[in-house]
Amino acid sequence: MSMQPSGPGEIPAETVRVARAAFPKGSLAIQVRDELGVLFTDAQFADLFPTRGKPAWSPGRLALVLVLQFVEGLTDRQAAEAVRARIDFKYALGLELCNPGFDFSVLSEFRDRLIEAEAGRRVLDGILAAAREKRLLKSAGRARTDSTHVLSAARELCWLEKVAETLRSALNALAKAAPDWLVDIAEPDWFKHYSTRAEDSRFPQARTKRDEVGLRIGRDGTRLLEAVLSSAAPGDLRDLPEVEILRRMWVQDFHLVDGEVMRRGPKDRPPGAMRLVTPYDIEGRGSVKRDTLWHGYKVHLTETCEPDAPNLITNVVTTAATVPDDRMAAVVHAGLAERDLLPREHWVDTGYANAAAMTDARDHGVALHGPLKSVTSSQARTRAAYGQDAFTVDWDNQRVTCPNGRTSTSWREDRSQHGLAVVRAQFPVRDCRPCPVVNDCVPALKTRGRAITLRPQQAHQELQQARALQQTEEWKERYKIRAGIEGTISQAAGRCGLRRSRYRGLAKTTLQHQLTGAAINLARIYAHLTETPRTRTRTSHFAALGPAEPMLSGTE
C-alpha cells in the first residue's frame, strides 16, 4: 500500500443537504466537523506508508474513523459499515453519498502501522490541537491525574492452566514448523494431555493429585526443551517465540532438585515485574491495589479541570500493572512538556505525591499537590512521642539533636532502596542505652542507637512545608478538585471499555488508550458545544438522608 497525501477538501454539497435534512439538530459527528473542521490530514501520517504501491484509503479519514469507533463502541465491522451507510459519518469524513468506504480489515492494518511507528499519540494530539485553536483547551491552569487497572485481553489462568497452555502452545508451534521431528520425540501421552485446551481438562480436586499433575507437566516441558535445545533438533526451532515463552515460564516455575523437576516455592520465584502470568500476553503482569487483584496493565489519565471549558484528557500513559504510581509523575510531566501542555497546578492522589515528584514538578514550573505519605519509621507507625519531627536538624553543622539534648555522631549522604538521595544520621548506642525513654525511641536497641533518615535539605524543607499546608482547611477544600478524575475514569470505562484491553500486548493496549482519550475528548467537546450539563455524583437514597455534603463534578 502507498499513500499520496491529498488536501482535506470540502464536504460534497449533496452530502451536506441530506445530512442537514436527516439531522436537523445535528449529531456528534456533524457538530464536531462543523466546529473543529478537519481534524486529521493525510500528511500527518505520510511517514507510515511507502511512496509506491497500491493507493491506500485516506489515513487522515481512517484516524477519524478510529476515534468515532471508540466514541460509539463499535467493532471494526460496524465502523466500516457506518462509513458506508451512515450519513453523519460521511459528513464528518467529507465523502460523497455513493462512496463505498473500505473493507473492515483496513482498520486493523492502519492500527498496526500506528503501533509500529508509535504514532498513536498523534491521534490524541490532533483533537487537542483543534480544541486549542478554538480556545476550548486551557492547558496553563489546573490538571489532575489518576490511574486505574486494565485487564489483559487474555483470560486469567490458574497455575495448572498456565503451565499446560504454555506447553500446548509450544507444541502447536513446533508441530507447524517441524512436524516430522516432533512426531519422533513426542511421548505417547502428550497427544492425550495437550491436544485440547487446558480449560477443557478436568484437573483433580485433591491438592496432592493437582501437585502430581503440575509435576508431570513440568517434566514434559523440560523434556521438550531439552529436545529443542539439543544438537539433533533443527536450529531454527529454538528461535520460535512460543519456545522462548516456554523456556521463560519453566525457569520461573520449575527447577531441578537432585535431577528431579520440582515446582519453585513462592520465595524462589522471580519478582512480579518479571513474572509471566499467561503465555498469550507476555507483557501483562499480575498486580494488586488495595482489594483489586488483576492481570494486565495500568493506565494513567491526565485531564484539564477548568470551570469554563471542557475537561479534556491531555496525556495518557499505559504501563505494566506492576509499575508503581510514585514513579509516574515525572513521566507525565515530561509528556506534557513535549507538547506545551504543562499546567500551573497538578492535583494527584497519595500514590503520585513524594519528594522526588515535587522536585521534578518544580523543575517544570508545576506545583504538584497531593497528600504526602506519612513517615514510615516504626516510631511513626506506633504514634510514639519520639517520631522524626521531634528531632532538630542542624544542616550547617550536619548533625541532628534529639529531644533530650543528645546529638548524632554520624552524618553521611546515601541512596535509598529506590535510588533516591538521602542523608542518614546515626546516634551512638552509648547515648541511647542509658536514656530513660529509650524504649519509646528505639524499641529494638541492640548494637546501634537511633538512626534518622532525611531527604536532602531543600527537599526536606519542602516536605515539611507541604505537610503543614495540607493540614489547613483551605488546602483540603482546594484538593476536592482532584475527585473529578474519578468521573473521567468511570466515563472511559463505561463508554470505551477502558478497563479491559481489546488487544494483546502493551503497544496495542497503549494505542487503545490513546484512542480512548481522543474519543472522550470528542464526546466532551460535543457536550460543551451543546451545553449538556455535567453529570453530578450519584447519591443513593440512603446517603441522601445523611448530612448534606458538596457535590463534586463528574463526567460530562
Side-chain angles (χ1 to χ4, degrees):
M1 300 290 265
S2 67
M3 197 271 293
Q4 292 79 36
S6 59
E10 298 293 330
I11 305 173
E14 184 65 9
T15 302
V16 174
R17 184 186 69 81
V18 175
R20 297 297 183 201
F23 295 92
K25 295 183 179 180
S27 70
L28 185 148
I30 292 174
Q31 191 91 2
V32 165
R33 176 62 189 260
D34 287 342
E35 297 293 336
L36 301 184
V38 177
L39 294 174
F40 309 104
T41 64
D42 291 350
Q44 291 175 264
F45 306 96
D47 59 315
L48 307 184
F49 296 83
T51 57
R52 296 182 180 181
K54 182 180 178 181
W57 214 75
S58 166
R61 289 187 172 114
L62 285 175
L64 181 55
V65 172
L66 286 178
V67 178
L68 293 175
Q69 175 186 12
F70 273 73
V71 168
E72 301 198 11
L74 305 177
T75 65
D76 286 355
R77 289 180 184 271
Q78 291 169 334
E81 186 65 23
V83 174
R84 277 192 294 273
R86 285 178 50 172
I87 297 171
D88 57 337
F89 270 53
K90 289 184 181 294
Y91 185 97
L93 297 169
L95 297 175
E96 296 280 356
L97 292 178
C98 59
N99 190 293
F102 51 83
D103 186 79
F104 73 94
S105 62
V106 172
L107 289 174
S108 177
E109 295 171 359
F110 184 58
R111 284 196 300 269
D112 288 341
R113 293 181 186 274
L114 291 174
I115 292 168
E116 185 177 355
E118 298 181 353
R121 201 167 71 177
R122 298 184 198 177
V123 181
L124 176 63
D125 288 347
I127 305 291
L128 295 175
R132 174 177 280 175
E133 186 176 345
K134 297 296 181 178
R135 298 184 179 180
L136 297 174
L137 173 62
K138 298 184 178 181
S139 58
R142 297 175 298 179
R144 53 197 177 199
T145 296
D146 202 1
S147 66
T148 189
H149 63 277
V150 180
L151 302 179
S152 170
R155 186 176 69 86
E156 187 172 334
L157 305 174
C158 70
W159 182 74
L160 282 179
E161 288 178 321
K162 181 184 69 173
V163 293
E165 277 297 298
T166 302
L167 179 52
R168 191 180 74 88
S169 175
L171 287 170
N172 281 330
L174 291 168
K176 183 178 180 180
D180 296 335
W181 173 85
L182 183 58
V183 167
D184 291 337
I185 66 102
E187 301 288 345
D189 284 349
W190 290 7
F191 297 97
K192 172 185 175 183
H193 295 305
Y194 311 116
S195 294
T196 60
R197 291 189 294 184
E199 64 184 27
D200 297 329
S201 302
R202 292 187 177 181
F203 294 118
Q205 294 184 355
R207 179 64 179 270
T208 56
K209 294 293 185 181
R210 293 175 69 88
D211 290 343
E212 291 175 4
V213 171
L215 292 178
R216 185 255 298 162
I217 296 172
R219 289 191 295 268
D220 292 344
T222 302
R223 165 83 171 82
L224 180 62
L225 284 171
E226 291 173 348
V228 170
L229 298 176
S230 68
S231 58
D236 56 345
L237 296 185
R238 65 191 64 184
D239 297 327
L240 292 174
E242 293 82 0
V243 172
E244 174 59 18
I245 294 171
L246 176 66
R247 186 194 66 80
R248 290 176 57 185
M249 192 73 76
W250 254 237
V251 167
Q252 78 175 31
D253 284 317
F254 298 102
H255 62 159
L256 292 176
V257 178
D258 297 330
E260 293 291 330
V261 176
M262 301 295 292
R263 185 183 179 184
R264 290 186 183 273
K267 295 183 178 180
D268 196 28
R269 297 168 195 161
M274 301 173 58
R275 196 181 309 151
L276 303 182
V277 295
T278 173
Y280 300 119
D281 189 353
I282 61 173
E283 292 177 302
R285 293 292 182 268
S287 188
V288 59
K289 185 175 183 180
R290 293 188 287 274
D291 296 332
T292 303
L293 173 64
W294 80 99
H295 290 169
Y297 304 94
K298 187 187 292 185
V299 61
H300 305 259
L301 300 181
T302 302
E303 69 171 3
T304 59
C305 46
E306 297 301 321
D308 56 344
N311 297 336
L312 300 183
I313 296 173
T314 55
N315 197 71
V316 181
V317 181
T318 308
T319 68
T322 51
V323 177
D325 290 351
D326 60 10
R327 302 181 186 178
M328 295 307 300
V331 176
V332 171
H333 292 152
L336 293 173
E338 288 177 8
R339 296 133 65 213
D340 192 26
L341 291 172
L342 282 170
R344 286 193 302 271
E345 295 180 359
H346 190 187
W347 296 86
V348 297
D349 66 8
T350 306
Y352 294 87
N354 54 61
M358 288 183 169
T359 301
D360 173 80
R362 186 183 64 249
D363 294 342
H364 284 289
V366 177
L368 184 68
H369 295 282
L372 292 166
K373 296 178 181 178
S374 59
V375 179
T376 56
S377 65
S378 59
Q379 293 82 1
R381 289 195 298 269
T382 58
R383 300 181 180 271
Y386 295 93
Q388 192 177 101
D389 293 341
F391 289 73
T392 303
V393 182
D394 184 350
W395 294 97
D396 294 333
N397 296 311
Q398 296 187 345
R399 64 188 180 198
V400 179
T401 303
C402 81
N404 292 318
R406 301 293 184 178
T407 59
S408 61
T409 56
S410 172
W411 178 288
R412 63 186 177 90
E413 296 180 356
D414 198 2
R415 291 279 175 180
S416 69
Q417 59 180 347
H418 301 297
L420 302 176
V422 295
V423 172
R424 302 189 189 276
Q426 182 72 50
F427 287 83
V429 68
R430 64 176 181 273
D431 289 343
C432 292
R433 193 181 301 278
C435 181
V437 293
V438 64
N439 292 330
D440 294 330
C441 186
V442 195
L445 180 67
K446 293 182 180 179
T447 59
R448 301 180 66 184
R450 176 68 184 268
I452 300 290
T453 302
L454 307 167
R455 296 284 291 154
Q457 182 176 2
Q458 183 175 356
H460 175 79
Q461 293 172 346
E462 289 178 354
L463 284 174
Q464 297 298 98
Q465 294 170 2
R467 285 196 171 97
L469 177 63
Q470 290 171 11
Q471 300 305 312
T472 64
E473 292 301 322
E474 179 186 0
W475 188 90
K476 293 177 181 178
E477 186 65 27
R478 293 181 63 203
Y479 183 69
K480 292 179 180 179
I481 189 65
R482 193 212 68 88
I485 192 66
E486 305 289 351
T488 298
I489 291 175
S490 177
Q491 183 183 19
R495 186 163 194 163
C496 303
L498 178 74
R499 288 199 177 102
R500 166 69 74 175
S501 179
R502 293 189 177 191
Y503 319 106
R504 295 178 182 178
L506 180 60
K508 292 184 178 182
T509 304
T510 296
L511 176 61
Q512 172 187 334
H513 294 154
Q514 298 287 354
L515 295 175
T516 296
I520 294 299
N521 284 347
L522 268 195
R524 291 187 165 189
I525 290 172
Y526 175 66
H528 179 77
L529 295 174
T530 56
E531 299 182 353
T532 302
R534 300 181 182 182
T535 303
R536 298 180 70 81
T537 303
R538 292 188 296 270
T539 304
S540 68
H541 295 294
F542 177 73
L545 299 177
E549 295 184 0
M551 302 290 284
L552 300 176
S553 61
T555 61
E556 294 186 351

